[in-house]
Amino acid sequence: MNSKIIDKLGLITLRDRKVAMVRSHNKTLFYIPGGKRELNETDEQALCRELDEELTLTLHLDSIRFYGEFIGLADGKQDGTQVRIRCYFADYDGSPIPAAEIAELAWLDSHDRPLCSATAAIIVSQLQQDGLIN
């Protein structure tokens, strides 16, 4: 069994007691918007870049605050690869608008857990436990 861990960053965006999730083309499951850091990027720099690329959001750098780190099986990997997502809250300008690589943006709550990747489902459970989503 492989012990590889994919390191990612994600933005928790809440509205009406739901969390924003995205789904890529040719995928069936939703995940927290964000992605991998590039060489020498800080969490904040990578998060800002990824959210601009995925949802055309400009994050306010001074508002970024850590929420939690979540680990689960990576979607679409059959070798036991896991994904670790360091999640943050942040203020931003504008409204989330999916970029070309994003097939769908959805606002989900705990009832939608079956639509989420394994790690996103863990995050949804924590958000519900913390009273942030239904």
Side-chain angles (χ1 to χ4, degrees):
M1 184 153 151
N2 189 343
S3 62
K4 182 176 179 188
I5 294 181
I6 300 168
D7 187 35
K8 290 188 165 190
L9 303 155
L11 181 70
I12 304 293
T13 304
L14 303 173
R15 181 172 76 188
D16 300 325
R17 299 195 48 81
K18 295 185 177 198
V19 61
M21 295 272 192
V22 294
R23 183 179 58 79
S24 296
H25 294 282
N26 302 317
K27 296 280 186 174
T28 58
L29 300 175
F30 285 89
Y31 60 91
I32 293 290
K36 299 176 193 171
R37 77 175 51 78
E38 292 180 356
L39 187 63
N40 297 323
E41 273 186 325
T42 65
D43 282 9
E44 293 80 7
Q45 291 168 331
L47 193 65
C48 288
R49 178 185 49 75
E50 285 288 346
L51 270 293
D52 182 47
E53 290 174 4
E54 283 192 5
L55 296 177
T56 62
L57 290 178
T58 301
L59 302 185
H60 297 191
L61 194 58
D62 60 348
S63 74
I64 297 173
R65 55 208 180 278
F66 183 69
Y67 174 60
E69 184 174 286
F70 304 89
I71 298 175
L73 288 175
D75 184 31
K77 304 284 185 182
Q78 303 300 317
D79 62 359
T81 297
Q82 294 187 312
V83 62
R84 175 180 45 232
I85 304 176
R86 291 179 52 80
C87 291
Y88 292 85
F89 291 108
D91 298 328
Y92 52 84
D93 295 325
S95 295
I97 300 169
E101 75 260 16
I102 303 299
E104 185 178 0
L105 166 69
W107 296 90
L108 307 178
D109 65 19
S110 62
H111 299 98
D112 302 307
R113 226 180 332 254
L115 304 175
C116 298
S117 69
T119 310
I122 293 168
I123 296 166
V124 165
S125 293
Q126 187 64 53
L127 288 167
Q128 181 189 26
Q129 184 179 347
D130 290 344
L132 297 172
I133 66 171
N134 291 330

